Amino acid sequence: CGIGGSSRHIARKFNCRAQGITLSPYQANRGNELALEQGLADQTKFQVADALNMPFADNSFDLVWSLESGEHMPDKQQFVNELLRVATPGGRIIIVTWCHRDLDQGETGLTKKEEKLLAKINRAYYLPRWCSVQDYVDLLQAQGVTDVRREDWSYIIAPFWKAVIKSSLNLKSVVGLFKSGFSTIRGAYAMLLMLRGFNQGLIKFGLITCTKPTTSTTNE
């Protein structure tokens, strides 16, 4: 959930309750602090937990929302299984995540050049292997979900990349970057790699949504 911005937005807009999870104690604490500051402490709660083994009972939520988390999951099948497990029958699942492009007809994999670029990004961001939006669709459909829809939201992100590059092209930013240390420099380098992959059509920002079946077909 990061620090829970999307969860607080949903709770406020729809006057509902939300629970968010993250591996970062800082993010969970900060999310709860912001919820208190914004008068949403009774509606939103954030905790440290593993998305591949969520501490929630089956059929707990009528909306399960994952924003920019899927790319961090080393086991995409288990990730999808858990999203479906905690959703109520007939509940909605929404995944918004970074993916690589769908394979064209006749392709068995990405090109060596594309794989090499993704490997560099993975090393910089400590990411596992990527998958495509179609891979997510296939995983969900195998579970018997209905009303599967997908969108390429890459065009929405395009202005973000321009803003990042523009903000970095000044002396103050460059000096601050080198003062901040190796990990920040590596993150900035990875951002440039992400931009390259984005411009090449390799990296996509995808939305996948579906409805959990009313009778359980989820693989345990």
Side-chain angles (χ1 to χ4, degrees):
C1 71
I3 57 174
S6 59
S7 297
R8 290 192 300 277
H9 170 74
I10 290 171
R12 184 185 300 108
K13 182 172 182 177
F14 297 103
N15 191 28
C16 62
R17 296 181 182 275
Q19 291 184 262
I21 62 172
T22 174
L23 290 176
S24 166
Y26 170 79
Q27 289 181 347
N29 290 335
R30 184 57 180 151
N32 287 320
E33 289 173 355
L34 290 170
L36 183 63
E37 292 173 9
Q38 296 170 15
L40 294 169
D42 291 336
Q43 291 177 254
T44 60
K45 302 292 182 184
F46 304 100
Q47 66 187 90
V48 176
D50 183 357
L52 300 182
N53 185 24
M54 288 191 264
F56 307 121
D58 296 356
N59 308 321
S60 292
F61 306 101
D62 55 12
L63 171 65
V64 182
W65 161 260
S66 170
L67 175 62
E68 291 186 295
S69 299
E71 62 269 23
H72 296 279
M73 304 300 165
D75 187 339
K76 303 298 193 289
Q77 176 71 72
Q78 179 62 17
F79 176 50
V80 166
N81 287 352
E82 278 293 276
L83 296 178
L84 285 166
R85 181 184 68 79
V86 301
T88 57
R92 172 66 62 176
I93 292 91
I94 302 175
I95 304 170
V96 182
T97 184
W98 292 101
C99 294
H100 65 62
R101 65 172 179 84
D102 288 345
L103 298 181
D104 294 329
Q105 187 173 2
E107 284 188 307
T108 58
L110 298 174
T111 67
K112 291 183 179 180
K113 184 177 180 180
E114 289 172 329
E115 290 282 12
K116 185 176 180 179
L117 177 56
L118 290 181
K120 290 180 179 179
I121 295 171
N122 291 351
R123 285 194 295 271
Y125 280 148
Y126 304 104
L127 294 176
R129 188 169 180 82
W130 293 52
C131 71
S132 68
V133 170
Q134 187 59 49
D135 289 331
Y136 275 112
V137 171
D138 292 342
L139 288 172
L140 290 164
Q141 288 182 330
Q143 302 282 24
V145 303
T146 60
D147 192 24
V148 180
R149 287 177 279 174
R150 55 174 291 175
E151 293 285 346
D152 184 355
W153 278 6
S154 302
Y155 72 95
I156 297 174
I157 297 297
F160 165 78
W161 295 113
K162 295 177 183 179
V164 168
I165 297 302
K166 183 178 180 180
S167 66
S168 65
L169 295 178
N170 60 73
L171 181 60
K172 183 178 179 180
S173 295
V174 172
V175 172
L177 177 64
F178 280 97
K179 286 184 176 180
S180 60
F182 175 74
S183 61
T184 303
I185 294 172
R186 181 167 59 182
Y189 170 67
M191 186 75 72
L192 293 175
L193 296 175
M194 288 281 289
L195 177 61
R196 183 189 304 172
F198 181 82
N199 288 336
Q200 292 175 358
L202 169 62
I203 293 175
K204 301 290 185 180
F205 194 61
L207 163 74
I208 310 98
T209 181
C210 66
T211 300
K212 179 177 175 175
T214 54
T215 56
S216 179
T217 59
T218 304
N219 296 329
E220 300 296 341

